[in-house]
């Protein structure tokens, strides 16, 4: 949505349907998008927006009003998860748990207990991640979040980017290891597991952290992962295509610690020419606007069902 050359919300939803795409993520309750999704059967992750987190944490009434305004008017939209915050900065982390609790209570009171409330984190919530068996949360609030998720049966959403780990430490992380290429470095773990790609190592560090937080049964949903095709170190069409194709091919197998399909979303649906930040942020898309042409070829045939999300956007692989 952060561009001046992108298709309309209605066009995008129709494009999802024409491509057999079955899930979407939006980072705020955009009403036009919600109306376009009505009756489509497309699963939805809907963020509350970080700007709303403190208000939702302030008390049950604010959460009830949010549910009244953004969930109840759209009974035909298949909202699967509500994310109370996305990569919340340190100053706002105290609002995450109370916002989740208030939203969960509001949904239950409104008869929408089928919607799971969670939050989306980045890898910096870990004090340690290498080797994966050393994964541990650095702050106490994440232990409380994990225990809440365990009590409600909701997953933890995690934005997992080997790209950023690679560009932060290219001398120690081979590009081939970061992009799932075969025959690359195999990294041993203290638990006897071996890792042939960085994505698995990052996800398993999160699973280990959940175990140490006393919540081993909480699943991880990879709510963002991707690779830019231009604009910075390691950002090229070849690398983006290689990473995303290999990710698609890989996630059906899960990780060494947790075999089995891993629900994963590719970031992003479209290149976004007005997105602020580093230039790479404009080049994560799988498609161009407004003609919806592919940014580079991707083969979906290895998936039973392909899933994409947009706003900042992503592709989801089913967990069944």
């Amino acid at each position: 949505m952060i561009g001046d050359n992108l298709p309309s919300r209605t066009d995008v939803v129709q494009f999802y349907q024409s491509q057999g795409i079955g899930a979407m993520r939006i980072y705020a309750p955009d009403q036009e998008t919600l109306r376009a999704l009505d009756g489509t059967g497309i699963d939805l992750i809907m963020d509350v927006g970080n700007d709303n987190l403190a208000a939702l944490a302030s008390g049950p009434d604010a959460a009830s009003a949010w549910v009244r305004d953004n969930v109840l008017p759209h009974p035909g939209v298949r909202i699967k998860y509500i994310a109370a915050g996305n990569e919340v900065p340190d100053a706002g982390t105290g609002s995450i748990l109370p916002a989740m609790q208030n939203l969960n209570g509001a949904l239950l009171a409104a008869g929408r207990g089928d919607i799971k409330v969670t939050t989306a984190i980045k890898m910096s919530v870990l004090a340690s991640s290498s080797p994966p068996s050393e994964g541990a949360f650095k702050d106490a609030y994440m232990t409380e979040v994990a225990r809440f998720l365990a009590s409600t049966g909701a997953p933890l959403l995690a934005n997992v980017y080997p790209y950023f780990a690679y560009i932060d430490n290219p001398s120690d992380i081979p590009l081939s290891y970061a992009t799932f290429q075969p025959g690359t470095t195999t990294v041993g773990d203290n638990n006897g597991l071996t890792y042939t790609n960085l994505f698995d190592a990052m996800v398993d560090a999160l699973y280990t952290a959940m175990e140490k937080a006393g919540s081993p049964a909480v699943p991880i949903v990879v709510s963002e992962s991707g690779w830019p095709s231009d604009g910075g170190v390691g950002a090229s069409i070849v690398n983006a295509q290689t990473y995303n194709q290999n990710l698609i091919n890989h996630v059906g197998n899960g990780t060494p610690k947790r075999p089995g399909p891993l629900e994963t979303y590719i970031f992003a649906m479209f290149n976004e020419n007005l997105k602020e930040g580093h230039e790479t942020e404009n080049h994560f898309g799988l498609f161009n606007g407004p003609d919806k042409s592919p940014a580079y070829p991707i083969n979906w045939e290895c998936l039973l069902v392909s899933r994409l999300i947009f706003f900042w956007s992503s592709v989801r692989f089913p967990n069944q």
Side-chain angles (χ1 to χ4, degrees), residues 154-190:
L156 177 66
L157 306 184
N159 301 336
V160 180
Y161 284 97
Y163 171 73
F164 292 118
Y166 165 72
I167 64 171
D168 285 345
N169 195 11
S171 61
D172 292 332
I173 298 176
L175 178 63
S176 54
Y177 184 64
T179 54
F180 298 93
Q181 295 188 62
T184 58
T185 305
T186 299
V187 178
D189 181 79
N190 293 339

PDB file of all heavy atoms in Angstrom, residues 154-190:
ATOM      1  N   ALA A 154      -2.707 -19.658  20.901  1.00  0.00           N
ATOM      2  CA  ALA A 154      -2.286 -18.825  19.772  1.00  0.00           C
ATOM      3  C   ALA A 154      -0.804 -19.035  19.469  1.00  0.00           C
ATOM      4  O   ALA A 154      -0.029 -19.376  20.363  1.00  0.00           O
ATOM      5  CB  ALA A 154      -2.549 -17.346  20.083  1.00  0.00           C
ATOM      6  N   PRO A 155      -0.386 -18.798  18.220  1.00  0.00           N
ATOM      7  CA  PRO A 155       1.028 -18.889  17.883  1.00  0.00           C
ATOM      8  C   PRO A 155       1.745 -17.569  18.164  1.00  0.00           C
ATOM      9  O   PRO A 155       1.111 -16.517  18.339  1.00  0.00           O
ATOM     10  CB  PRO A 155       1.001 -19.159  16.376  1.00  0.00           C
ATOM     11  CG  PRO A 155      -0.199 -18.373  15.918  1.00  0.00           C
ATOM     12  CD  PRO A 155      -1.217 -18.502  17.034  1.00  0.00           C
ATOM     13  N   LEU A 156       3.054 -17.618  18.172  1.00  0.00           N
ATOM     14  CA  LEU A 156       3.873 -16.413  18.171  1.00  0.00           C
ATOM     15  C   LEU A 156       4.244 -16.095  16.730  1.00  0.00           C
ATOM     16  O   LEU A 156       4.723 -16.965  15.993  1.00  0.00           O
ATOM     17  CB  LEU A 156       5.155 -16.620  18.981  1.00  0.00           C
ATOM     18  CG  LEU A 156       6.136 -15.441  18.986  1.00  0.00           C
ATOM     19  CD1 LEU A 156       5.548 -14.231  19.706  1.00  0.00           C
ATOM     20  CD2 LEU A 156       7.466 -15.852  19.619  1.00  0.00           C
ATOM     21  N   LEU A 157       3.998 -14.857  16.287  1.00  0.00           N
ATOM     22  CA  LEU A 157       4.398 -14.421  14.961  1.00  0.00           C
ATOM     23  C   LEU A 157       5.832 -13.919  15.024  1.00  0.00           C
ATOM     24  O   LEU A 157       6.184 -13.138  15.911  1.00  0.00           O
ATOM     25  CB  LEU A 157       3.481 -13.308  14.449  1.00  0.00           C
ATOM     26  CG  LEU A 157       1.975 -13.579  14.445  1.00  0.00           C
ATOM     27  CD1 LEU A 157       1.232 -12.393  13.820  1.00  0.00           C
ATOM     28  CD2 LEU A 157       1.638 -14.864  13.721  1.00  0.00           C
ATOM     29  N   ALA A 158       6.655 -14.351  14.075  1.00  0.00           N
ATOM     30  CA  ALA A 158       8.067 -13.957  14.068  1.00  0.00           C
ATOM     31  C   ALA A 158       8.472 -13.538  12.665  1.00  0.00           C
ATOM     32  O   ALA A 158       8.215 -14.254  11.693  1.00  0.00           O
ATOM     33  CB  ALA A 158       8.949 -15.115  14.538  1.00  0.00           C
ATOM     34  N   ASN A 159       9.094 -12.375  12.563  1.00  0.00           N
ATOM     35  CA  ASN A 159       9.644 -11.886  11.302  1.00  0.00           C
ATOM     36  C   ASN A 159      11.096 -12.346  11.215  1.00  0.00           C
ATOM     37  O   ASN A 159      11.932 -11.905  12.006  1.00  0.00           O
ATOM     38  CB  ASN A 159       9.545 -10.360  11.233  1.00  0.00           C
ATOM     39  CG  ASN A 159       8.113  -9.862  11.345  1.00  0.00           C
ATOM     40  OD1 ASN A 159       7.161 -10.588  11.049  1.00  0.00           O
ATOM     41  ND2 ASN A 159       7.942  -8.628  11.769  1.00  0.00           N
ATOM     42  N   VAL A 160      11.367 -13.249  10.285  1.00  0.00           N
ATOM     43  CA  VAL A 160      12.664 -13.938  10.220  1.00  0.00           C
ATOM     44  C   VAL A 160      13.352 -13.591   8.909  1.00  0.00           C
ATOM     45  O   VAL A 160      12.882 -13.987   7.835  1.00  0.00           O
ATOM     46  CB  VAL A 160      12.471 -15.466  10.353  1.00  0.00           C
ATOM     47  CG1 VAL A 160      13.821 -16.182  10.276  1.00  0.00           C
ATOM     48  CG2 VAL A 160      11.753 -15.803  11.661  1.00  0.00           C
ATOM     49  N   TYR A 161      14.465 -12.873   8.994  1.00  0.00           N
ATOM     50  CA  TYR A 161      15.161 -12.371   7.811  1.00  0.00           C
ATOM     51  C   TYR A 161      16.632 -12.765   7.810  1.00  0.00           C
ATOM     52  O   TYR A 161      17.476 -12.030   8.346  1.00  0.00           O
ATOM     53  CB  TYR A 161      15.052 -10.846   7.728  1.00  0.00           C
ATOM     54  CG  TYR A 161      13.720 -10.325   7.280  1.00  0.00           C
ATOM     55  CD1 TYR A 161      12.774  -9.906   8.201  1.00  0.00           C
ATOM     56  CD2 TYR A 161      13.406 -10.249   5.928  1.00  0.00           C
ATOM     57  CE1 TYR A 161      11.548  -9.413   7.791  1.00  0.00           C
ATOM     58  CE2 TYR A 161      12.179  -9.762   5.507  1.00  0.00           C
ATOM     59  CZ  TYR A 161      11.256  -9.343   6.434  1.00  0.00           C
ATOM     60  OH  TYR A 161      10.041  -8.863   6.023  1.00  0.00           O
ATOM     61  N   PRO A 162      16.991 -13.890   7.203  1.00  0.00           N
ATOM     62  CA  PRO A 162      18.410 -14.169   7.011  1.00  0.00           C
ATOM     63  C   PRO A 162      19.139 -13.061   6.256  1.00  0.00           C
ATOM     64  O   PRO A 162      20.355 -12.880   6.462  1.00  0.00           O
ATOM     65  CB  PRO A 162      18.391 -15.478   6.216  1.00  0.00           C
ATOM     66  CG  PRO A 162      17.135 -16.153   6.662  1.00  0.00           C
ATOM     67  CD  PRO A 162      16.144 -15.033   6.822  1.00  0.00           C
ATOM     68  N   TYR A 163      18.421 -12.319   5.408  1.00  0.00           N
ATOM     69  CA  TYR A 163      19.068 -11.233   4.663  1.00  0.00           C
ATOM     70  C   TYR A 163      19.747 -10.245   5.601  1.00  0.00           C
ATOM     71  O   TYR A 163      20.910  -9.878   5.399  1.00  0.00           O
ATOM     72  CB  TYR A 163      18.062 -10.495   3.782  1.00  0.00           C
ATOM     73  CG  TYR A 163      18.649  -9.242   3.177  1.00  0.00           C
ATOM     74  CD1 TYR A 163      19.584  -9.313   2.141  1.00  0.00           C
ATOM     75  CD2 TYR A 163      18.307  -7.978   3.660  1.00  0.00           C
ATOM     76  CE1 TYR A 163      20.159  -8.168   1.597  1.00  0.00           C
ATOM     77  CE2 TYR A 163      18.868  -6.830   3.118  1.00  0.00           C
ATOM     78  CZ  TYR A 163      19.799  -6.929   2.096  1.00  0.00           C
ATOM     79  OH  TYR A 163      20.372  -5.799   1.563  1.00  0.00           O
ATOM     80  N   PHE A 164      19.035  -9.793   6.632  1.00  0.00           N
ATOM     81  CA  PHE A 164      19.602  -8.783   7.525  1.00  0.00           C
ATOM     82  C   PHE A 164      20.747  -9.354   8.351  1.00  0.00           C
ATOM     83  O   PHE A 164      21.724  -8.661   8.641  1.00  0.00           O
ATOM     84  CB  PHE A 164      18.510  -8.190   8.408  1.00  0.00           C
ATOM     85  CG  PHE A 164      17.513  -7.360   7.646  1.00  0.00           C
ATOM     86  CD1 PHE A 164      16.179  -7.723   7.603  1.00  0.00           C
ATOM     87  CD2 PHE A 164      17.911  -6.230   6.948  1.00  0.00           C
ATOM     88  CE1 PHE A 164      15.262  -6.965   6.885  1.00  0.00           C
ATOM     89  CE2 PHE A 164      17.006  -5.470   6.226  1.00  0.00           C
ATOM     90  CZ  PHE A 164      15.673  -5.838   6.200  1.00  0.00           C
ATOM     91  N   ALA A 165      20.628 -10.626   8.753  1.00  0.00           N
ATOM     92  CA  ALA A 165      21.741 -11.255   9.462  1.00  0.00           C
ATOM     93  C   ALA A 165      22.972 -11.337   8.562  1.00  0.00           C
ATOM     94  O   ALA A 165      24.104 -11.096   9.009  1.00  0.00           O
ATOM     95  CB  ALA A 165      21.331 -12.651   9.933  1.00  0.00           C
ATOM     96  N   TYR A 166      22.743 -11.643   7.296  1.00  0.00           N
ATOM     97  CA  TYR A 166      23.856 -11.749   6.340  1.00  0.00           C
ATOM     98  C   TYR A 166      24.554 -10.414   6.132  1.00  0.00           C
ATOM     99  O   TYR A 166      25.778 -10.316   6.194  1.00  0.00           O
ATOM    100  CB  TYR A 166      23.339 -12.301   5.014  1.00  0.00           C
ATOM    101  CG  TYR A 166      24.304 -12.110   3.862  1.00  0.00           C
ATOM    102  CD1 TYR A 166      25.472 -12.855   3.778  1.00  0.00           C
ATOM    103  CD2 TYR A 166      24.044 -11.169   2.866  1.00  0.00           C
ATOM    104  CE1 TYR A 166      26.367 -12.665   2.735  1.00  0.00           C
ATOM    105  CE2 TYR A 166      24.930 -10.980   1.820  1.00  0.00           C
ATOM    106  CZ  TYR A 166      26.086 -11.729   1.759  1.00  0.00           C
ATOM    107  OH  TYR A 166      26.977 -11.531   0.729  1.00  0.00           O
ATOM    108  N   ILE A 167      23.796  -9.340   5.891  1.00  0.00           N
ATOM    109  CA  ILE A 167      24.449  -8.063   5.603  1.00  0.00           C
ATOM    110  C   ILE A 167      25.102  -7.468   6.849  1.00  0.00           C
ATOM    111  O   ILE A 167      26.030  -6.662   6.745  1.00  0.00           O
ATOM    112  CB  ILE A 167      23.490  -7.044   4.963  1.00  0.00           C
ATOM    113  CG1 ILE A 167      22.351  -6.650   5.914  1.00  0.00           C
ATOM    114  CG2 ILE A 167      22.947  -7.581   3.645  1.00  0.00           C
ATOM    115  CD1 ILE A 167      21.515  -5.484   5.400  1.00  0.00           C
ATOM    116  N   ASP A 168      24.653  -7.890   8.034  1.00  0.00           N
ATOM    117  CA  ASP A 168      25.299  -7.427   9.262  1.00  0.00           C
ATOM    118  C   ASP A 168      26.612  -8.149   9.527  1.00  0.00           C
ATOM    119  O   ASP A 168      27.459  -7.637  10.272  1.00  0.00           O
ATOM    120  CB  ASP A 168      24.360  -7.631  10.458  1.00  0.00           C
ATOM    121  CG  ASP A 168      23.234  -6.617  10.501  1.00  0.00           C
ATOM    122  OD1 ASP A 168      23.328  -5.594   9.796  1.00  0.00           O
ATOM    123  OD2 ASP A 168      22.246  -6.865  11.229  1.00  0.00           O
ATOM    124  N   ASN A 169      26.797  -9.329   8.925  1.00  0.00           N
ATOM    125  CA  ASN A 169      27.988 -10.121   9.228  1.00  0.00           C
ATOM    126  C   ASN A 169      28.404 -10.956   8.021  1.00  0.00           C
ATOM    127  O   ASN A 169      28.497 -12.180   8.101  1.00  0.00           O
ATOM    128  CB  ASN A 169      27.694 -11.033  10.427  1.00  0.00           C
ATOM    129  CG  ASN A 169      28.943 -11.620  11.031  1.00  0.00           C
ATOM    130  OD1 ASN A 169      30.063 -11.214  10.703  1.00  0.00           O
ATOM    131  ND2 ASN A 169      28.770 -12.589  11.907  1.00  0.00           N
ATOM    132  N   PRO A 170      28.677 -10.311   6.867  1.00  0.00           N
ATOM    133  CA  PRO A 170      28.959 -11.076   5.643  1.00  0.00           C
ATOM    134  C   PRO A 170      30.272 -11.858   5.696  1.00  0.00           C
ATOM    135  O   PRO A 170      30.430 -12.822   4.950  1.00  0.00           O
ATOM    136  CB  PRO A 170      29.001  -9.999   4.550  1.00  0.00           C
ATOM    137  CG  PRO A 170      29.354  -8.745   5.280  1.00  0.00           C
ATOM    138  CD  PRO A 170      28.713  -8.858   6.630  1.00  0.00           C
ATOM    139  N   SER A 171      31.174 -11.462   6.578  1.00  0.00           N
ATOM    140  CA  SER A 171      32.447 -12.183   6.656  1.00  0.00           C
ATOM    141  C   SER A 171      32.297 -13.547   7.309  1.00  0.00           C
ATOM    142  O   SER A 171      33.096 -14.460   7.063  1.00  0.00           O
ATOM    143  CB  SER A 171      33.484 -11.351   7.417  1.00  0.00           C
ATOM    144  OG  SER A 171      33.048 -11.107   8.744  1.00  0.00           O
ATOM    145  N   ASP A 172      31.273 -13.712   8.152  1.00  0.00           N
ATOM    146  CA  ASP A 172      31.079 -14.974   8.867  1.00  0.00           C
ATOM    147  C   ASP A 172      29.891 -15.785   8.355  1.00  0.00           C
ATOM    148  O   ASP A 172      29.793 -16.974   8.661  1.00  0.00           O
ATOM    149  CB  ASP A 172      30.889 -14.714  10.362  1.00  0.00           C
ATOM    150  CG  ASP A 172      32.145 -14.185  11.034  1.00  0.00           C
ATOM    151  OD1 ASP A 172      33.243 -14.499  10.544  1.00  0.00           O
ATOM    152  OD2 ASP A 172      32.025 -13.460  12.035  1.00  0.00           O
ATOM    153  N   ILE A 173      28.984 -15.151   7.630  1.00  0.00           N
ATOM    154  CA  ILE A 173      27.796 -15.866   7.123  1.00  0.00           C
ATOM    155  C   ILE A 173      27.889 -15.950   5.604  1.00  0.00           C
ATOM    156  O   ILE A 173      27.756 -14.940   4.914  1.00  0.00           O
ATOM    157  CB  ILE A 173      26.496 -15.141   7.524  1.00  0.00           C
ATOM    158  CG1 ILE A 173      26.363 -15.089   9.049  1.00  0.00           C
ATOM    159  CG2 ILE A 173      25.285 -15.857   6.917  1.00  0.00           C
ATOM    160  CD1 ILE A 173      25.149 -14.308   9.532  1.00  0.00           C
ATOM    161  N   PRO A 174      28.145 -17.124   5.055  1.00  0.00           N
ATOM    162  CA  PRO A 174      28.199 -17.243   3.588  1.00  0.00           C
ATOM    163  C   PRO A 174      26.848 -16.930   2.958  1.00  0.00           C
ATOM    164  O   PRO A 174      25.794 -17.282   3.505  1.00  0.00           O
ATOM    165  CB  PRO A 174      28.582 -18.709   3.370  1.00  0.00           C
ATOM    166  CG  PRO A 174      29.149 -19.185   4.667  1.00  0.00           C
ATOM    167  CD  PRO A 174      28.444 -18.399   5.730  1.00  0.00           C
ATOM    168  N   LEU A 175      26.867 -16.285   1.815  1.00  0.00           N
ATOM    169  CA  LEU A 175      25.632 -16.004   1.092  1.00  0.00           C
ATOM    170  C   LEU A 175      24.869 -17.292   0.803  1.00  0.00           C
ATOM    171  O   LEU A 175      23.634 -17.335   0.890  1.00  0.00           O
ATOM    172  CB  LEU A 175      25.945 -15.265  -0.210  1.00  0.00           C
ATOM    173  CG  LEU A 175      24.753 -14.945  -1.109  1.00  0.00           C
ATOM    174  CD1 LEU A 175      23.776 -13.993  -0.415  1.00  0.00           C
ATOM    175  CD2 LEU A 175      25.234 -14.348  -2.436  1.00  0.00           C
ATOM    176  N   SER A 176      25.590 -18.342   0.468  1.00  0.00           N
ATOM    177  CA  SER A 176      24.936 -19.611   0.152  1.00  0.00           C
ATOM    178  C   SER A 176      24.195 -20.170   1.367  1.00  0.00           C
ATOM    179  O   SER A 176      23.103 -20.740   1.232  1.00  0.00           O
ATOM    180  CB  SER A 176      25.972 -20.619  -0.340  1.00  0.00           C
ATOM    181  OG  SER A 176      27.030 -20.748   0.602  1.00  0.00           O
ATOM    182  N   TYR A 177      24.741 -20.003   2.563  1.00  0.00           N
ATOM    183  CA  TYR A 177      24.091 -20.463   3.789  1.00  0.00           C
ATOM    184  C   TYR A 177      22.828 -19.647   4.071  1.00  0.00           C
ATOM    185  O   TYR A 177      21.831 -20.173   4.568  1.00  0.00           O
ATOM    186  CB  TYR A 177      25.076 -20.353   4.953  1.00  0.00           C
ATOM    187  CG  TYR A 177      24.581 -20.874   6.280  1.00  0.00           C
ATOM    188  CD1 TYR A 177      24.270 -22.222   6.466  1.00  0.00           C
ATOM    189  CD2 TYR A 177      24.444 -20.015   7.370  1.00  0.00           C
ATOM    190  CE1 TYR A 177      23.826 -22.701   7.692  1.00  0.00           C
ATOM    191  CE2 TYR A 177      24.014 -20.487   8.605  1.00  0.00           C
ATOM    192  CZ  TYR A 177      23.700 -21.827   8.756  1.00  0.00           C
ATOM    193  OH  TYR A 177      23.263 -22.290   9.973  1.00  0.00           O
ATOM    194  N   ALA A 178      22.866 -18.360   3.736  1.00  0.00           N
ATOM    195  CA  ALA A 178      21.715 -17.482   3.972  1.00  0.00           C
ATOM    196  C   ALA A 178      20.598 -17.698   2.965  1.00  0.00           C
ATOM    197  O   ALA A 178      19.450 -17.323   3.233  1.00  0.00           O
ATOM    198  CB  ALA A 178      22.162 -16.029   3.941  1.00  0.00           C
ATOM    199  N   THR A 179      20.900 -18.291   1.807  1.00  0.00           N
ATOM    200  CA  THR A 179      19.909 -18.417   0.731  1.00  0.00           C
ATOM    201  C   THR A 179      19.539 -19.871   0.424  1.00  0.00           C
ATOM    202  O   THR A 179      19.027 -20.165  -0.648  1.00  0.00           O
ATOM    203  CB  THR A 179      20.410 -17.733  -0.549  1.00  0.00           C
ATOM    204  OG1 THR A 179      21.695 -18.255  -0.900  1.00  0.00           O
ATOM    205  CG2 THR A 179      20.522 -16.229  -0.358  1.00  0.00           C
ATOM    206  N   PHE A 180      19.784 -20.778   1.346  1.00  0.00           N
ATOM    207  CA  PHE A 180      19.369 -22.188   1.218  1.00  0.00           C
ATOM    208  C   PHE A 180      20.078 -22.927   0.092  1.00  0.00           C
ATOM    209  O   PHE A 180      19.574 -23.953  -0.370  1.00  0.00           O
ATOM    210  CB  PHE A 180      17.864 -22.318   0.933  1.00  0.00           C
ATOM    211  CG  PHE A 180      16.928 -21.785   1.978  1.00  0.00           C
ATOM    212  CD1 PHE A 180      16.442 -20.490   1.894  1.00  0.00           C
ATOM    213  CD2 PHE A 180      16.475 -22.592   3.013  1.00  0.00           C
ATOM    214  CE1 PHE A 180      15.537 -19.997   2.820  1.00  0.00           C
ATOM    215  CE2 PHE A 180      15.566 -22.111   3.945  1.00  0.00           C
ATOM    216  CZ  PHE A 180      15.110 -20.812   3.851  1.00  0.00           C
ATOM    217  N   GLN A 181      21.218 -22.466  -0.352  1.00  0.00           N
ATOM    218  CA  GLN A 181      21.840 -23.153  -1.483  1.00  0.00           C
ATOM    219  C   GLN A 181      22.509 -24.440  -1.018  1.00  0.00           C
ATOM    220  O   GLN A 181      23.124 -24.485   0.045  1.00  0.00           O
ATOM    221  CB  GLN A 181      22.832 -22.225  -2.173  1.00  0.00           C
ATOM    222  CG  GLN A 181      22.146 -21.025  -2.820  1.00  0.00           C
ATOM    223  CD  GLN A 181      23.082 -20.212  -3.665  1.00  0.00           C
ATOM    224  OE1 GLN A 181      23.630 -20.698  -4.640  1.00  0.00           O
ATOM    225  NE2 GLN A 181      23.252 -18.943  -3.283  1.00  0.00           N
ATOM    226  N   PRO A 182      22.381 -25.502  -1.799  1.00  0.00           N
ATOM    227  CA  PRO A 182      22.884 -26.818  -1.371  1.00  0.00           C
ATOM    228  C   PRO A 182      24.401 -26.868  -1.307  1.00  0.00           C
ATOM    229  O   PRO A 182      25.106 -26.106  -1.971  1.00  0.00           O
ATOM    230  CB  PRO A 182      22.347 -27.764  -2.454  1.00  0.00           C
ATOM    231  CG  PRO A 182      22.156 -26.891  -3.655  1.00  0.00           C
ATOM    232  CD  PRO A 182      21.741 -25.545  -3.124  1.00  0.00           C
ATOM    233  N   GLY A 183      24.871 -27.791  -0.459  1.00  0.00           N
ATOM    234  CA  GLY A 183      26.307 -28.016  -0.368  1.00  0.00           C
ATOM    235  C   GLY A 183      27.055 -26.940   0.376  1.00  0.00           C
ATOM    236  O   GLY A 183      28.275 -26.807   0.238  1.00  0.00           O
ATOM    237  N   THR A 184      26.345 -26.143   1.189  1.00  0.00           N
ATOM    238  CA  THR A 184      26.991 -25.052   1.896  1.00  0.00           C
ATOM    239  C   THR A 184      27.308 -25.462   3.325  1.00  0.00           C
ATOM    240  O   THR A 184      27.095 -26.599   3.731  1.00  0.00           O
ATOM    241  CB  THR A 184      26.093 -23.803   1.878  1.00  0.00           C
ATOM    242  OG1 THR A 184      24.830 -24.130   2.473  1.00  0.00           O
ATOM    243  CG2 THR A 184      25.847 -23.336   0.464  1.00  0.00           C
ATOM    244  N   THR A 185      27.798 -24.531   4.089  1.00  0.00           N
ATOM    245  CA  THR A 185      28.254 -24.793   5.440  1.00  0.00           C
ATOM    246  C   THR A 185      27.174 -25.479   6.272  1.00  0.00           C
ATOM    247  O   THR A 185      26.028 -25.058   6.302  1.00  0.00           O
ATOM    248  CB  THR A 185      28.639 -23.473   6.130  1.00  0.00           C
ATOM    249  OG1 THR A 185      29.602 -22.806   5.324  1.00  0.00           O
ATOM    250  CG2 THR A 185      29.207 -23.727   7.512  1.00  0.00           C
ATOM    251  N   THR A 186      27.561 -26.535   6.946  1.00  0.00           N
ATOM    252  CA  THR A 186      26.681 -27.189   7.898  1.00  0.00           C
ATOM    253  C   THR A 186      27.129 -26.807   9.292  1.00  0.00           C
ATOM    254  O   THR A 186      28.272 -27.030   9.667  1.00  0.00           O
ATOM    255  CB  THR A 186      26.720 -28.725   7.729  1.00  0.00           C
ATOM    256  OG1 THR A 186      26.283 -29.069   6.422  1.00  0.00           O
ATOM    257  CG2 THR A 186      25.823 -29.391   8.763  1.00  0.00           C
ATOM    258  N   VAL A 187      26.243 -26.226  10.059  1.00  0.00           N
ATOM    259  CA  VAL A 187      26.561 -25.728  11.382  1.00  0.00           C
ATOM    260  C   VAL A 187      26.039 -26.694  12.420  1.00  0.00           C
ATOM    261  O   VAL A 187      24.853 -27.048  12.416  1.00  0.00           O
ATOM    262  CB  VAL A 187      25.958 -24.321  11.592  1.00  0.00           C
ATOM    263  CG1 VAL A 187      26.253 -23.813  12.997  1.00  0.00           C
ATOM    264  CG2 VAL A 187      26.504 -23.354  10.550  1.00  0.00           C
ATOM    265  N   GLY A 188      26.896 -27.128  13.327  1.00  0.00           N
ATOM    266  CA  GLY A 188      26.487 -28.030  14.384  1.00  0.00           C
ATOM    267  C   GLY A 188      25.821 -27.296  15.530  1.00  0.00           C
ATOM    268  O   GLY A 188      26.032 -26.105  15.737  1.00  0.00           O
ATOM    269  N   ASP A 189      25.000 -28.022  16.269  1.00  0.00           N
ATOM    270  CA  ASP A 189      24.294 -27.457  17.410  1.00  0.00           C
ATOM    271  C   ASP A 189      24.626 -28.292  18.638  1.00  0.00           C
ATOM    272  O   ASP A 189      24.917 -29.491  18.534  1.00  0.00           O
ATOM    273  CB  ASP A 189      22.785 -27.463  17.136  1.00  0.00           C
ATOM    274  CG  ASP A 189      21.982 -26.851  18.273  1.00  0.00           C
ATOM    275  OD1 ASP A 189      21.929 -25.619  18.345  1.00  0.00           O
ATOM    276  OD2 ASP A 189      21.423 -27.622  19.080  1.00  0.00           O
ATOM    277  N   ASN A 190      24.548 -27.692  19.815  1.00  0.00           N
ATOM    278  CA  ASN A 190      24.883 -28.403  21.045  1.00  0.00           C
ATOM    279  C   ASN A 190      23.958 -29.579  21.316  1.00  0.00           C
ATOM    280  O   ASN A 190      24.298 -30.467  22.110  1.00  0.00           O
ATOM    281  CB  ASN A 190      24.846 -27.438  22.234  1.00  0.00           C
ATOM    282  CG  ASN A 190      25.941 -26.383  22.159  1.00  0.00           C
ATOM    283  OD1 ASN A 190      26.934 -26.568  21.467  1.00  0.00           O
ATOM    284  ND2 ASN A 190      25.755 -25.284  22.875  1.00  0.00           N
TER     285      ASN A 190
END
